[in-house]
Amino acid sequence: MSVDHKTNPALLKDIESGTNLKHAATQEKNPLPSVEDISQEKTVQAIPNFDSSQLKHVEPQEKTGWKESISHDKATEELGKFDKSQLKHTETSEKNPLPDQDVIEEEKKEVEHRRSIGDFDRSLLKQQRTEEKIVLPSKEAIVQEKKEVQLRDSIGKHDRSSLRKVETNERDALKEIVAQEATHKGIESFSKDNLKHAETVEKNPLPTADDIKKEKTTS
């Protein structure tokens, strides 16, 4: 059973004339596989190992197609009633995946550099002898090293019997604390009335005229 799908003439006319259509921006989709693609790939890989004995026989059912035709007619009718004035204008941004001139020039230089390395004539190279240099210590470093060796030898050979025994005097911390507290108490109880007034005499450390004359005569 075949069904003829009729298209709305007004919609077909608008599509062919391209009138009232607005610019739409092109969006680049992610080329990475989706979860469905990965699942489908796993299914394809599992098909060769699938056990067909587990399958059950199913009777096929033939579709009449009248439901699909009604759905298509409703969609065509809705498209014809759509108000195009509600559409908004969008700018299309075209992305250029091609390299720019600077990238091309840089790539050319890299290729020429690699080619020049591969085509280099090794016969132009000259043989060089490797000279191993031994850095000897200076005279001052040798003298300092000798002094350190002699000092270590003298320390090791020193006669410990010549050392004198020294007694360590351990201080009594308690006595020092008591004496310090007594001093603080004496300061606090000290009477300022016993102090006498004294005049401050400022001395001039600069030389006098006679000292300057004597200094000139001596020089």
Side-chain angles (χ1 to χ4, degrees):
M1 178 179 180
S2 60
V3 180
D4 295 333
H5 301 289
K6 295 182 179 180
T7 306
N8 191 344
L11 177 62
L12 182 60
K13 184 178 180 180
D14 290 339
I15 294 174
E16 292 177 351
S17 61
T19 57
N20 298 328
L21 295 179
K22 296 184 179 180
H23 191 68
T26 303
Q27 296 181 355
E28 185 177 356
K29 294 184 178 180
N30 189 357
L32 297 176
S34 61
V35 178
E36 292 78 7
D37 296 335
I38 297 173
S39 178
Q40 185 177 3
E41 182 68 20
K42 290 182 179 179
T43 304
V44 173
Q45 294 177 358
I47 289 175
N49 299 327
F50 182 73
D51 187 6
S52 58
S53 61
Q54 299 179 1
L55 296 176
K56 296 180 180 181
H57 181 70
V58 178
E59 293 293 339
Q61 296 180 358
E62 185 178 356
K63 294 182 180 181
T64 58
W66 62 273
K67 292 183 179 181
E68 289 79 0
S69 62
I70 293 174
S71 177
H72 183 271
D73 292 340
K74 287 183 178 181
T76 305
E77 184 179 357
E78 293 294 332
L79 287 174
K81 296 178 181 179
F82 182 73
D83 185 8
K84 298 179 182 179
S85 61
Q86 298 179 1
L87 297 175
K88 295 181 180 180
H89 180 71
T90 56
E91 296 293 336
T92 303
S93 58
E94 183 179 357
K95 295 183 179 180
N96 186 10
L98 299 176
D100 55 9
Q101 188 65 26
D102 296 335
V103 177
I104 295 174
E105 292 296 333
E106 189 68 24
E107 184 68 21
K108 286 182 180 180
K109 291 180 181 179
E110 184 69 20
V111 173
E112 292 178 357
H113 179 65
R114 294 178 181 178
R115 185 180 301 169
S116 62
I117 294 174
D119 298 339
F120 182 74
D121 187 7
R122 297 182 180 179
S123 61
L124 300 176
L125 297 175
K126 296 181 180 180
Q127 186 177 4
Q128 297 291 335
R129 293 182 180 180
T130 304
E131 296 181 0
E132 184 177 357
K133 294 183 179 181
I134 301 175
V135 181
L136 298 175
S138 61
K139 184 177 180 180
E140 292 78 6
I142 295 173
V143 173
Q144 186 68 23
E145 183 68 22
K146 286 182 178 180
K147 289 181 180 180
E148 292 181 1
V149 172
Q150 291 175 359
L151 178 61
R152 292 175 183 175
D153 292 341
S154 62
I155 294 173
K157 297 178 181 178
H158 183 71
D159 186 9
R160 297 183 181 180
S161 60
S162 61
L163 298 176
R164 295 180 181 180
K165 186 177 181 181
V166 179
E167 295 292 338
T168 304
N169 295 326
E170 185 176 356
R171 294 182 179 180
D172 191 352
L174 182 59
K175 291 182 179 180
E176 292 182 357
I177 294 174
V178 172
Q180 188 175 4
E181 290 180 354
T183 303
H184 290 169
K185 290 181 180 180
I187 294 173
E188 293 174 356
S189 60
F190 181 76
S191 178
K192 297 180 182 180
D193 299 333
N194 297 328
L195 296 176
K196 294 181 180 180
H197 181 71
E199 296 291 337
T200 304
V201 179
E202 183 178 356
K203 293 183 179 181
N204 188 3
L206 297 177
T208 62
D210 296 336
D211 295 335
I212 295 173
K213 288 181 181 180
K214 290 181 180 179
E215 183 69 24
K216 288 181 178 180
T217 304
T218 305
S219 59

